[in-house]
Amino acid sequence: MVLDRPSQPLQLRDVPKPKAKAGELLVRVNTCAVCRTDLHVVDGELPDPKLPLIPGHQIVGPVEEIGGGENSQFKVGDRVGIPWLGWTDGECVYCRSSRENLCDRAKFTGYTIDGGYAEFTVADSRFCFHLPDNYNDVDVAPLLCAGLIGYRSYRKAGDVRRLGIYGFGNAAHLIAQIALYEGRELFVFTRPGDKATQESAKKLGAKWTGGSDEMPPEKLDAAIIFASVGPLVPTALRALAKGGIVVCGGIHMSDIPSFPYADLWGERAITSVANLTRRDAEEFLKIAPRVPVQTRTETFPLEEANIALDRFRAGKSKGTAVLIVNAD
């Protein structure tokens, strides 16, 4: 599936099988999960995508070929996961200080390099990962972005007791399971009136649930905002105890309105999360099977990628949409 121009449907057409260069893996795509970032790319909300572009950055499949013939980490037939961060220069000040997620020259799967809405894809082997054996190809795919970006957001929140989550979509559902596993008290905020999602969060183990227009019964030590809604930032600030932090977990967010300095005072803080690092992936893929983190998915054949995106855009998805490309 190819994006020729933003704000247009993806086109299904034959694409030449790519070739792996030295240091790269040719991967036969079995599944590719659909992410909100895919929507931002397709809808033109992220600037300067590679065009034409094959989207998709939650890719699962076996190694078909190793560029250069040998690789110390992977062999032909290994099942690998390919996430959003696809390449960094390894030499800038960010890369040399363990902040490769901020590399100015970084390349991103399904945005500035072709991704997984295709039968085959090529990826830099340094940014591929072995996947836990106890997940099948469908269930493991959402861990590769909703899980990884969510995990980075969760770690940025710090070692806190009372954690608020604004927006209870795929990333929030995955990270809530880790938060509860690690003994956090969870406070979940949804769209006002969304009782079904609030009830789902309660069943998962949340201490309190309510609408985003409500204040929690206790001040929060940290809050993660997964919804791409800028006005939630001052709302979350008002829910924080002194010294608390608001973590904005999305790659795109609407404008944040002005708010009184008093809401920030008391050493409260606001931070964003940009991309991920390989360390995030390694840590998350170790802890996920221990919890074990459960994913919620619905599947679509590759040729129905536009339908999956439309359902996501309309808020009608029943779980993470996962495209079935090459079924085993």
Side-chain angles (χ1 to χ4, degrees), residues 10-85:
L10 303 178
Q11 302 298 313
L12 180 64
R13 60 172 179 258
D14 290 335
V15 175
K17 184 177 179 179
K19 296 183 181 298
K21 300 176 183 177
E24 294 181 335
L25 305 178
L26 173 66
V27 175
R28 179 180 184 266
V29 180
N30 283 353
T31 61
C32 185
V34 176
C35 176
R36 183 170 296 279
T37 303
D38 297 343
L39 273 184
H40 293 321
V41 172
V42 171
D43 291 346
E45 294 172 331
L46 293 182
D48 303 321
K50 168 193 172 296
L51 292 175
L53 171 71
I54 299 173
H57 58 273
Q58 301 182 89
I59 305 166
V60 178
V63 175
E64 185 95 351
E65 177 185 310
I66 297 173
E70 294 183 4
N71 187 286
S72 60
Q73 188 178 1
F74 300 103
K75 63 182 185 298
V76 171
D78 283 352
R79 186 177 71 152
V80 300
I82 304 172
W84 170 250
L85 186 63

Side-chain angles (χ1 to χ4, degrees), residues 6-245:
S7 302
Q8 292 189 348
L10 303 178
Q11 302 298 313
L12 180 64
R13 60 172 179 258
D14 290 335
V15 175
K17 184 177 179 179
K19 296 183 181 298
K21 300 176 183 177
E24 294 181 335
L25 305 178
L26 173 66
V27 175
R28 179 180 184 266
V29 180
N30 283 353
T31 61
C32 185
V34 176
C35 176
R36 183 170 296 279
T37 303
D38 297 343
L39 273 184
H40 293 321
V41 172
V42 171
D43 291 346
E45 294 172 331
L46 293 182
D48 303 321
K50 168 193 172 296
L51 292 175
L53 171 71
I54 299 173
H57 58 273
Q58 301 182 89
I59 305 166
V60 178
V63 175
E64 185 95 351
E65 177 185 310
I66 297 173
E70 294 183 4
N71 187 286
S72 60
Q73 188 178 1
F74 300 103
K75 63 182 185 298
V76 171
D78 283 352
R79 186 177 71 152
V80 300
I82 304 172
W84 170 250
L85 186 63
W87 181 90
T88 60
D89 63 26
E91 58 189 30
C92 68
V93 64
Y94 298 114
C95 289
R96 288 186 285 106
S97 57
S98 301
R99 295 178 293 166
E100 64 184 7
N101 59 307
L102 302 179
C103 176
D104 287 329
R105 297 177 61 206
K107 297 178 182 179
F108 303 103
T109 312
Y111 178 36
T112 53
I113 52 180
D114 284 330
Y117 288 21
E119 292 187 347
F120 294 91
T121 194
V122 165
D124 188 320
S125 65
R126 300 173 301 164
F127 294 86
C128 298
F129 299 92
H130 292 286
L131 298 173
D133 292 334
N134 51 333
Y135 290 96
N136 63 36
D137 290 347
V138 171
D139 291 338
V140 78
L143 300 185
L144 292 166
C145 187
L148 296 186
I149 298 297
Y151 180 76
R152 184 168 183 84
S153 302
Y154 173 65
R155 289 304 180 207
K156 292 276 279 188
D159 186 10
V160 299
R161 182 166 68 89
R162 298 180 300 266
L163 176 65
I165 294 181
Y166 286 79
F168 203 67
N170 298 325
H173 177 260
L174 298 178
I175 296 312
Q177 295 175 63
I178 293 181
L180 294 167
Y181 173 78
E182 294 188 339
R184 318 293 183 207
E185 294 179 1
L186 198 61
F187 298 76
V188 172
F189 301 80
T190 70
R191 289 188 181 92
D194 188 354
K195 300 298 183 182
T197 301
Q198 292 169 20
E199 187 60 31
S200 175
K202 280 184 179 178
K203 288 181 179 179
L204 193 64
K207 182 176 182 179
W208 176 89
T209 64
S212 59
D213 57 346
E214 300 179 54
M215 283 289 111
E218 304 172 59
K219 289 289 188 179
L220 306 174
D221 300 313
I224 304 173
I225 300 177
F226 286 116
S228 56
V229 182
L232 288 177
V233 173
T235 297
L237 271 178
R238 290 192 291 271
L240 289 184
K242 288 185 286 188
I245 185 170

